[in-house]
Amino acid sequence: MAASNRVILGPLVGAIDQGTSSTRFLVFNAKTAELLSHHQVEIKQKFPKEGWVEQDPKEILRSVYECVEKTCEKLTQLSIDITNIKAIGVSNQRETTVVWDKTTGEPLYNAIVWLDLRTQSTVERLLKRIPGKNKNFFKNRTGLPLSTYFSAVKIRWLLDNVEEIRHAVSEGRAMFGTVDSWIIWSLTGAKNGGVHCTDVTNASRTMLFNIHTLEWDTELCQFFDIPMELLPKVRSSSEIYGLMKICPSLKSGALTGVPISGCLGDQSAALVGQMCFQDGQAKNTYGTGCFLLCNTGSKPVLSDHGLLTTVAYKLGRDKPACYALEGSVAIAGAVVRWLRDNLGIVKTTEEVEKLAAEVGTSYGCYFVPAFSGLYAPYWEPSARGIICGLTQFTNRNHIAFAALEAVCFQTREILDAMNQDYGIPLGQLQVDGGMTSNKILMQLQADILCIPVVKPSMPETTALGAAMAAGAAEGVGVWSLNPGDLTAVTCERFEPQINPEESEFRYARWKKAVMKSMGWESAEPTSNGHGLNK
């Protein structure tokens, strides 16, 4: 195509958004933050045993290449010159653990996904070595309780159970990384000089990282007995890590030589994309799980109410780290996928909204989707999913409604905890993520929280955050993060429409259901082979 026919837009920035259920590549205009094009590929989750959740690291990588290739093709069809892509950012599902062989570039095991529960017996064994079996023993250093959720126990399980990994470690061939590290290493050359790094936000989810010194913690590595040479180098969230190398999977050779210069765990990326740069600003992302983050500024705030303290971002090598309080809910969008894939009561996830809208109530039915135990504020691995309050009148519409309500009730629980920890109640909730396209859900959320819910018209805030970090990096400098330069965001607003008394009544019933879900599973296997220690 003749250059004169091309659309002149100025600098563009790409973002790889690798989530639990899908991978996307999105391209933004660095001056206006407008989303120009994107492509999405769904990722398979494997459930080899009850409570186990895995993904194929090579499938994750193939999905990244496919999304980059297809998005570049779409841009070319729109007469947009892809050589204007000046930087690439990466945002990723956090905690998910990959170990690979640096000499062959091959994964040594499937990625163990953050939701996975196989490490419960590992957690209980480690707890026995802690005074008073206190799961918060390392919280002052890491901001996290000892849980199946974080990477350290997943690495420990792999070292204990996978001979091939033990062998690779002893020969100095093994590398560990969260998904960001695996992607960046692969895109910057893999076994031929790939850069083995992560950023502070992802490192802060491993339980091996000191959130005050912003370094790997020798004592934590000794406690978990994890060799430090496995770990990636920790960098800021916004700097040039390396350049895209020619890759046989990218037929066009698109983006070769473009710097990869932004890296944020998905929830931190959404906080940046929602422009929550001030203390007390918060956002809730509705993805596979649900994650409420509140910016607490340059000082970490430790929670007394079951929330996590995490690194929010560090937007440059010489910039200070900012911290956040986080409420993590394991199952949000995943409950809708479960209704589709496991129960078959809907053929598409969009149908859930339609079913719920037809009844407008759960008719006293409550659904606690504790498929992976309960995360914040309970941290109760023994919990399992329950549906209660059923009568002969209950049908699939009520169960669909109860599933959506469950997402909202879980958000209410973590918002209550955040208000208690932070001391300043939120006046409104900024939201993003795939589920926010469900208008019934957004209205329900406003009703259950009794505050307005505010949704940006451009929902891809996670990818936007990664693009902002990449474009603002030193040596790239195409995206300004000065408050005066940030684009104003248009929003849709949902106001509460029910009286607070009804909201409180439903919330109290939900709490009752949560209590009934607890203590369901023991860590020791029972005679029929169930239990977590498999």
Side-chain angles (χ1 to χ4, degrees), residues 178-200:
T178 40
V179 171
D180 56 306
S181 300
W182 167 239
I183 290 172
I184 292 171
W185 184 81
S186 300
L187 294 183
T188 55
K191 62 185 179 184
N192 301 312
V195 178
H196 188 213
C197 70
T198 188
D199 90 301
V200 287

Side-chain angles (χ1 to χ4, degrees), residues 214-229:
L214 302 180
E215 291 171 339
W216 297 122
D217 190 296
T218 315
E219 287 178 21
L220 287 168
C221 290
Q222 284 168 351
F223 175 79
F224 289 103
D225 195 15
I226 292 168
M228 291 186 83
E229 53 272 20

Side-chain angles (χ1 to χ4, degrees), residues 446-462:
D447 289 346
I448 285 166
L449 295 181
C450 305
I451 59 172
V453 167
V454 180
K455 174 194 156 190
S457 52
M458 202 290 289
E460 303 291 353
T461 51
T462 301

